[in-house]
Amino acid sequence: MKLSSLPVIDLVVSEPQTLSEPTSKTSDRATVARSSDYRTSEVATVIESTVDSLVRPQKLPQAAKAAKVGKWGIFASTFFTIFLAEMGDKTQLATLLMSAQSEAPWVVFLGAAIALIATSLLGVLIGRFLATRLSPKTLETSAGALLLFISAMLLWDVVHF
């Protein structure tokens, strides 16, 4: 392991404090021993915290993760996820049928685009509201349960019709 990859630890040892004139040699030794013990425990604490930070991976807060990915990374991830999720979706099929039946395909496109923007805005606003009140793990579990419920209901409709 390179020395440059280790975290830098600055141990600042304060200048020795001036002691009042000891009355005897034993009190002088006790003062030096206490001072030495204090510095040793300080060094041990710094070493322990450094080892902990090297051994245990530090979890980044969500804001730090978002900053690490960058705004364009978040944009691209969102775009491709929604684009692929909407491919062949019933909304796209409904838009396809409306465009084929109407005499104004651009009006259908504009209506569908505004509707998708409105539903996306609603999702973002509700998601932001919930993110301030619930943990990310709870949100993830709830979204998964909701999607499973919707899938089961759609499957039920298909089987019974």
Side-chain angles (χ1 to χ4, degrees):
M1 181 184 291
K2 290 183 190 176
L3 197 57
S4 62
S5 65
L6 295 174
V8 177
I9 303 172
D10 291 332
L11 291 178
V12 179
V13 179
S14 59
E15 292 185 23
Q17 297 177 353
T18 56
L19 300 174
S20 60
E21 236 0 85
T23 55
S24 70
K25 288 188 177 187
T26 55
S27 67
D28 186 32
R29 286 185 198 143
T31 304
V32 170
R34 279 194 303 262
S35 174
S36 175
D37 287 345
Y38 174 73
R39 287 190 180 142
T40 303
S41 68
E42 241 184 338
V43 170
T45 304
V46 170
I47 290 173
E48 283 178 21
S49 66
T50 304
V51 168
D52 280 350
S53 68
L54 289 174
V55 172
R56 294 185 195 143
Q58 301 294 322
K59 293 184 179 180
L60 296 174
Q62 257 186 332
K65 286 181 185 178
K68 193 173 185 179
V69 172
K71 290 182 180 178
W72 286 109
I74 294 170
F75 173 81
S77 172
T78 304
F79 175 82
F80 286 116
T81 301
I82 300 299
F83 183 79
L84 292 175
E86 292 297 324
M87 260 317 160
D89 190 290
K90 63 183 179 182
T91 306
Q92 186 185 27
L93 295 175
T95 305
L96 185 139
L97 291 174
M98 286 182 199
S99 178
Q101 291 174 350
S102 74
E103 297 290 322
W106 287 106
V107 175
V108 172
F109 169 75
L110 188 61
I114 291 173
L116 186 57
I117 288 171
T119 58
S120 296
L121 177 65
L122 188 63
V124 167
L125 293 176
I126 292 172
R128 196 66 176 150
F129 173 78
L130 291 175
T132 60
R133 285 159 178 69
L134 300 172
S135 72
K137 187 68 176 172
T138 304
L139 279 176
E140 190 175 291
T141 304
S142 302
L146 184 61
L147 287 173
L148 283 174
F149 176 73
I150 291 170
S151 299
M153 295 303 291
L154 288 172
L155 183 62
W156 182 263
D157 282 346
V158 168
V159 170
H160 279 64
F161 284 138

